[in-house]
Amino acid sequence: MSASRSEEAEDDLLAAAEVRARLSCPSCGSAHVAQVLGDNGGVSYVCTACGHSWS
């Protein structure tokens, strides 16, 4: 039996939350990281603790 659409959406949200939880700043190690979109549509990250940014 396949999962319902709401169960699949919930699984996707949980997977995304797990990725965010593991994401940390390579400079200071802080978990206070924001995902930002660049002008060309790319995804970058910025540490809100030290200001370091990376993609």
Side-chain angles (χ1 to χ4, degrees):
M1 186 166 132
S2 64
S4 71
R5 292 184 84 184
S6 63
E7 288 172 332
E8 290 174 2
E10 184 176 320
D11 289 346
D12 290 344
L13 288 174
L14 288 173
E18 288 175 4
V19 168
R20 283 191 301 274
R22 289 190 302 257
L23 188 61
S24 62
C25 176
S27 182
C28 72
S30 173
H32 296 271
V33 175
Q35 182 178 356
V36 294
L37 297 177
D39 291 337
N40 63 357
V43 176
S44 296
Y45 304 93
V46 64
C47 176
T48 58
C50 74
H52 179 74
S53 61
W54 70 98
S55 53

